[in-house]
Amino acid sequence: MASVRAGQSQALLLRGEPGVGKTALLDYVATSASGCRIARAAGVESEMELAFAGLHQLCAPFSDRLERLPAPQRDALGTALGLRAGDAPDRYLVALAVLSLLSDVAEDRPLICVIDDAQWLDRASAQALAFAARRLEAESVGMVFAVRDGAGDEELTGLTELVVGALADDAARALLDSVITGPLDERVRDRILAETRGNPLALLELPHGRAPAELAGGFGLPDAAALSGRIEESFRRRLTALPPDTRRLLLVAAAEPVGDPVLVWRAAGLLGVGAEAALPAGVAGLVEFGGQVRFRHPLVRSAVYQAASAGERQSVHRALAEATDADVDPDRRAWHRAQATPGLDEEVAAELERSAGRAQARGGLAAAAAFHERAAGLTPDPARRARRALAAAQSKLRAGAPETALNLLAMARAGPLDELDRARTELLQAQITFAVTRGRDAPPLLLKAAKRLEPLDATMARETYLDAFSAALSAGRLVHGGSVREVADAVLAADWGGSRRRSPRAGDLLMDGLAVLSTQGYSAGAPALRRALSAFRDEQMSDDEALRWLWLGCRIARAVSDDASWDELSERQLRIARQAGALSLLPSAVNERFGIQLVSGELDAATSLVAEADAVLKATGSRLSPHSAIWLAVWRGREAEALALIEAQRKDVVRRGEGVWLTDADWSTAVLYNGAGRYEEALAAVERAAEQPDEAELSTWAVPEFIEAAARSGHAERAAAPLARVSETARACGTDWALGVEARTRAVLSEGDAAERLHREAIQRLGRTRIRVALARAHLLYGEWLRRQNRRVDARDQLRTAHGMLREIGADGFAERARRELQATGETVRKRTAGLLDELTPQEAQIARLAGEGSTNAEIGATLFLSPRTVEWHLRKVFTKLGISSRKELRAALPQAGRAAVPA
């Protein structure tokens, strides 16, 4: 709290067993935070499936400030909170809005957010609040979460933790003595202290209303319940002493998790329960009826609900459904109706189905899945139940619950389905498999589903074939059935005539091009793929379509050496992902853009993108294979770091069957060793990768590395067949990038005038592309050849150019190779030394670059998922490190700063 008052944000996770005092500590925070504003929320077990329920508790008091947020954030959070209609908001854009909102509230006075029972937050709320907690830095905001030991709190992983332990013996003895009246046998006291293990709530509740003899004999039995169960049992015993109407009132409050007193009393009235029923519950210290209905402890709520019979619960939910306004809150009314229904009921099931649609429109995928699942369970008609189970399974998969989706899929398959729905079940099975493993198991399932869909839904079949291509390319050399060639054969054999005639859409052209490339080779397939890329660049497509397919378009652009398309499509994909706030997709979009910027020599921008991707991954707790980190380490010549990153991933990748990663790792290792001039090791590393024609762009990149390593290690005879592949690919692609690499590759295998002509052609062609890394390496190879011809003056010109470009690009491994070659010509070149500018972190470099380009603090914050105040805090540090005092001076300092800020 002192840190927050001083303007430095903090986030803390209290962890402990039930009853250990986490809620008491949160209350302490709330009552002790003088000068601070308090915002509270609590997870409720029965609300875990209702998206943004927890967020509504925390943010609703600040809804008047939504208009101060940037429009995309305002609309997303407003829709999530049910304040406005709209399409489903991206939940990470909602999370960014929460961060901005809390920062704005804290402008007036420090803000402390206390969130109890965070293990029961709905997933959407947990993600948003955890995102904000991780991104807080220079705001006056504190966030304190409390979670149970062993509970599902994956979203909060990585926050600073404070483990709330049991009371020490002396404190436990003092607490027990405070609630025991009259004499107590010392041995009984010792037994209680031993078995409650210092748990404060157990010490307070377990002795309540029991005689010493009962306490002495009631613990330690072999079948004794867990501590939390015993605490709940103590509450249940206290309930039995209450009047029937009081117990019924408590059950209404327990079944209405929002704590709305108006709704609770309205439902109680429908059950014939009057206001006088609240007094005994208050006297017993179990619940408070005020501006909000609050149980003394979540275990009290649980004990009340569990102590009731099924019939009692159903009657209470029925009353709550009747008391809920169908126009104001139709979804909660439908949920209560479902809980009140003992058997099959089509009317209730249909209402739940409508609620599922509304929940999905608000971005509540988990809520939609829960509604769909309950609707399926209440549906009397077997065919309709099967269709609803299929919809529930699809919702569960989108909500990130593949195991539950599989169970619902089994329910769907058990019912009568038409042919299209049966094909959809196969597709969903394949999609679940791909979502879980992203490896070898998914391609054959997707291929089978696509074939079955052909005569039923041509559009869905074509999309599934593209999914199958994607999965097969990902599985690569480890695929077991459903290989790229098998998918291609099926596409070419498909009957797309009649009403299912193919349209010239980009996705269809891409599917055709991949099929032709895989079956007839580059000469036939590359022109078709280039037409597909042109369509991707020219065609108007929705953001959803773009985010689904542009990454594959980028991959194909690399495969056909089309640097212009790669540049344009990767920029477009990243822009759309940022504008949509699609953080779940943003890391992969960032990686695509990183690739083109790295090989284009834009190291400052590429490094900043790594910082951005890292910010997203840390903020969301997500994981992504570290391709970008490996590539950076490789080009920087950091052998130990690169090899460690590769080995750390290899075992898991093989287990999943993600073969394309292995090809990437082999190619990266070869680049590393070629840069270091260790050609034998490069040849051994890349040999396997160069033999993977079905892995598209990576194998085409691997072959030139193989040829250079073979030529320089004295094994030129092994390069004949690979050279033929390079030539076929280059002529089919017809781009300066492809033809320049071919000329460079032929040059290392040639002698005399032919070699010099090819070296010059390579430099000329690659100089017309964006691929500055390839151009720099062409200058290096030409300079090395000239030195071996004893043309030292000419060699120095080429090697100086190569060395300067490679240093500027940040390819330190190859730059060191060029430096050694220059020294061999008699020229002295000093090694690069770190300076003041190296002190900038990647995040600081990204902020400095964006500020230098004219972005405001709010715009930078929206890009990097920071608050404007935190951006300003980082800029002050940047100014200090660079020795400047204003944004106007950034442009002059940035060219060096951006290149220096390479992560270690």
Side-chain angles (χ1 to χ4, degrees):
M1 287 186 285
S3 179
V4 171
R5 290 191 189 100
Q8 184 67 40
S9 297
Q10 294 287 334
L12 184 65
L13 181 66
L14 303 179
R15 183 184 297 280
E17 64 180 8
V20 79
K22 303 183 297 296
T23 301
L25 285 171
L26 293 182
D27 290 340
Y28 170 80
V29 168
T31 56
S32 303
S34 60
C36 299
R37 184 167 187 169
I38 304 298
R40 302 194 73 139
V44 180
E45 192 169 13
S46 60
E47 291 236 311
M48 290 180 70
E49 300 290 355
L50 300 180
F52 303 115
L55 204 60
H56 191 278
Q57 294 180 53
L58 193 78
C59 296
F62 313 130
S63 58
D64 59 325
R65 293 175 175 262
L66 289 183
E67 295 305 319
R68 300 167 67 165
L69 302 182
Q73 298 178 30
R74 178 193 64 220
D75 294 342
L77 185 55
T79 303
L81 298 180
L83 301 177
R84 64 186 70 205
D87 295 332
D90 185 282
R91 63 180 54 193
Y92 294 120
L93 186 57
V94 172
L96 182 57
V98 171
L99 174 63
S100 299
L101 180 65
L102 298 182
S103 178
D104 182 71
V105 172
E107 289 286 346
D108 298 336
R109 55 179 168 144
L111 173 66
I112 304 286
C113 302
V114 292
I115 302 97
D116 205 355
D117 285 313
Q119 76 278 354
W120 288 338
L121 286 172
D122 61 279
R123 188 177 183 189
S125 294
Q127 285 180 332
L129 293 174
F131 178 100
R134 291 190 181 97
R135 305 309 296 156
L136 292 168
E137 290 188 59
E139 303 81 0
S140 296
V141 179
M143 299 186 75
V144 189
F145 300 84
V147 298
R148 286 187 179 186
D149 268 341
D153 59 339
E154 294 82 3
E155 305 296 344
L156 301 173
T157 300
L159 296 183
T160 301
E161 289 193 12
L162 174 62
V163 176
V164 184
L167 296 178
D169 289 345
D170 290 347
R173 184 178 296 272
L175 181 60
L176 179 61
D177 289 344
S178 73
V179 295
I180 295 292
T181 57
L184 180 63
D185 186 276
E186 189 67 25
R187 290 170 298 177
V188 173
R189 177 184 284 107
D190 291 343
R191 184 75 175 274
I192 294 171
L193 291 171
E195 293 189 337
T196 53
R197 299 186 302 279
N199 184 284
L201 189 61
L203 287 162
L204 289 170
E205 295 299 332
L206 286 173
H208 189 86
R210 286 191 171 192
E214 293 178 272
L215 293 171
F219 289 104
L221 298 176
D223 59 347
L227 181 59
S228 62
R230 299 206 305 251
I231 296 172
E232 287 189 56
E233 177 58 33
S234 75
F235 286 132
R236 279 194 286 270
R237 286 197 306 272
R238 295 172 69 175
L239 291 173
T240 60
L242 297 175
D245 277 0
T246 299
R247 293 200 301 270
R248 193 171 294 113
L249 176 62
L250 288 174
L251 182 56
V252 173
E256 200 297 295
V258 175
D260 181 352
V262 175
L263 187 57
V264 168
W265 285 115
R266 189 183 301 156
L270 293 173
L271 294 169
V273 177
E276 67 279 359
L279 182 59
V283 172
L286 297 175
V287 69
E288 298 175 6
F289 289 94
Q292 185 179 29
V293 180
R294 292 186 62 190
F295 283 92
R296 175 183 177 183
H297 192 277
L299 290 176
V300 180
R301 180 193 296 275
S302 176
V304 169
Y305 197 79
Q306 295 301 324
S309 67
E312 288 170 331
R313 294 178 202 166
Q314 289 165 6
S315 66
V316 162
H317 281 294
R318 191 174 299 111
L320 284 165
E322 293 178 25
T324 302
D325 191 317
D327 295 325
V328 174
D329 199 349
D331 301 334
R332 201 175 300 279
R333 179 178 183 274
W335 187 253
H336 282 305
R337 285 194 72 192
Q339 301 306 313
T341 304
L344 303 179
D345 191 314
E346 173 56 31
E347 181 186 348
V348 177
E351 189 174 346
L352 286 169
E353 192 170 37
R354 290 190 291 273
S355 290
R358 287 190 293 268
Q360 191 156 324
R362 292 194 302 270
L365 292 177
F371 284 130
H372 275 308
E373 183 177 13
R374 183 64 174 145
L378 293 176
T379 303
D381 178 68
R384 189 171 292 170
R385 180 170 61 249
R387 287 196 297 273
R388 284 173 175 162
L390 179 58
Q394 291 171 324
S395 296
K396 285 289 185 182
L397 177 60
R398 289 194 292 269
E403 296 299 329
T404 307
L406 282 174
N407 295 334
L408 288 164
L409 190 58
M411 181 193 295
R413 284 173 165 164
L417 292 171
D418 61 26
E419 189 63 21
L420 177 58
D421 282 335
R422 289 205 172 277
R424 290 171 62 205
T425 64
E426 288 192 7
L427 173 58
L428 185 58
Q429 175 74 59
Q431 291 171 334
I432 292 171
T433 301
F434 191 52
V436 172
T437 68
R438 304 198 74 82
R440 66 171 69 87
D441 297 329
L445 297 177
L446 286 164
L447 177 57
K448 181 181 177 183
K451 288 179 178 178
R452 187 164 187 174
L453 283 164
E454 275 181 34
L456 304 170
D457 188 319
T459 299
M460 191 180 297
R462 290 195 292 270
E463 291 176 350
T464 306
Y465 273 125
L466 267 180
D467 282 336
F469 268 128
S470 299
L473 288 167
S474 180
R477 69 181 75 167
L478 300 179
V479 71
H480 290 168
S483 66
V484 172
R485 179 58 185 263
E486 290 175 86
V487 177
D489 288 339
V491 168
L492 295 176
D495 179 10
W496 303 107
S499 61
R500 294 180 295 277
R501 186 175 304 278
R502 286 172 292 177
S503 63
R505 295 172 62 244
D508 296 327
L509 293 170
L510 183 59
M511 181 186 68
D512 288 342
L514 280 168
V516 173
L517 178 75
S518 302
T519 55
Q520 301 176 37
Y522 261 87
S523 296
L529 288 174
R530 295 199 67 185
R531 287 193 297 272
L533 291 174
S534 295
F536 267 110
R537 295 172 69 175
D538 299 336
E539 182 179 299
Q540 293 294 321
M541 60 178 65
S542 69
D543 287 354
D544 285 343
E545 288 178 307
L547 289 173
R548 183 176 183 183
W549 300 121
L550 281 180
W551 74 271
L552 187 55
C554 290
R555 187 166 181 173
I556 296 307
R558 296 199 300 270
V560 297
S561 300
D562 186 345
D563 54 306
S565 291
W566 187 14
D567 183 46
E568 181 178 327
L569 297 181
S570 65
E571 187 280 330
R572 182 175 160 199
Q573 180 189 23
L574 181 57
R575 173 169 41 82
I576 292 172
R578 280 173 171 165
Q579 289 173 348
L583 268 69
S584 55
L585 299 172
L586 192 52
S588 58
V590 165
N591 279 346
E592 277 298 340
R593 188 62 184 158
F594 163 86
I596 180 64
Q597 289 185 327
L598 183 68
V599 298
S600 298
E602 301 172 24
L603 187 66
D604 54 344
T607 303
S608 296
L609 284 176
V610 173
E612 181 176 345
D614 186 56
V616 178
L617 294 173
K618 287 181 179 177
T620 62
S622 303
R623 294 179 62 85
L624 197 69
S625 295
H627 292 283
S628 299
I630 291 172
W631 283 18
L632 268 179
V634 164
W635 287 112
R636 295 295 279 171
R638 293 172 174 157
E639 179 181 344
E641 179 185 346
L643 296 180
L645 286 169
I646 290 170
E647 288 308 310
Q649 291 288 313
R650 187 179 297 276
K651 185 176 180 180
D652 190 46
V653 164
V654 172
R655 179 184 58 80
R656 294 197 309 268
E658 195 178 353
V660 69
W661 188 94
L662 296 176
T663 301
D664 190 330
D666 292 344
W667 168 77
S668 298
T669 305
V671 172
L672 179 72
Y673 288 140
N674 274 335
R678 291 155 58 182
Y679 303 110
E680 289 280 3
E681 291 167 274
L683 185 63
V686 79
E687 188 168 11
R688 184 73 183 274
E691 297 171 353
Q692 306 301 320
D694 285 345
E695 292 181 7
E697 86 285 1
L698 286 175
S699 64
T700 64
W701 286 22
V703 174
E705 298 299 333
F706 177 90
I707 293 173
E708 181 175 336
R712 298 300 294 271
S713 62
H715 301 287
E717 73 284 354
R718 298 177 60 184
L723 180 60
R725 280 183 58 193
V726 171
S727 297
E728 178 195 2
T729 301
R731 276 148 184 71
C733 296
T735 65
D736 278 319
W737 182 9
L739 292 169
V741 169
E742 184 209 13
R744 191 188 76 192
T745 304
R746 284 188 174 279
V748 300
L749 295 171
S750 302
E751 300 291 342
D753 292 343
E756 183 155 21
R757 177 179 54 79
L758 287 166
H759 279 301
R760 290 182 176 277
E761 180 186 349
I763 290 170
Q764 184 180 33
R765 286 190 178 277
L766 292 170
R768 295 196 289 261
T769 74
R770 295 165 175 77
I771 314 301
R772 293 185 68 221
V773 166
L775 175 61
R777 290 182 66 179
H779 282 290
L780 173 59
L781 286 168
Y782 187 24
E784 290 173 332
W785 180 84
L786 288 168
R787 186 185 67 78
R788 290 196 302 274
Q789 303 301 310
N790 292 318
R791 293 166 57 181
R792 293 194 171 193
V793 174
D794 293 337
R796 285 174 191 150
D797 288 341
Q798 295 298 323
L799 293 171
R800 283 195 207 102
T801 299
H803 183 255
M805 290 181 66
L806 290 164
R807 280 191 58 179
E808 182 180 1
I809 288 168
D812 289 350
F814 283 94
E816 175 60 17
R817 177 173 144 186
R819 188 188 69 83
R820 292 196 303 267
E821 288 287 334
L822 268 172
Q823 282 188 319
T825 67
E827 184 163 317
T828 301
V829 185
R830 280 187 274 176
K831 289 187 176 181
R832 177 184 178 272
T833 57
L836 177 64
L837 298 177
D838 293 272
E839 296 180 10
L840 283 189
T841 67
Q843 186 176 66
E844 289 168 352
Q846 174 77 317
I847 290 171
R849 186 175 67 83
L850 292 171
E853 293 172 355
S855 296
T856 65
N857 286 358
E859 291 167 340
I860 297 170
T863 298
L864 294 182
F865 320 110
L866 302 169
S867 73
R869 182 182 289 186
T870 293
V871 172
E872 180 62 31
W873 179 61
H874 280 297
L875 273 177
R876 287 198 296 270
K877 294 199 295 181
V878 168
F879 291 166
T880 299
K881 289 181 178 182
L882 299 184
I884 61 177
S885 59
S886 71
R887 289 172 178 253
K888 293 180 181 179
E889 300 174 79
L890 276 172
R891 283 189 176 276
L894 278 179
Q896 291 296 323
R899 285 192 289 274
V902 178

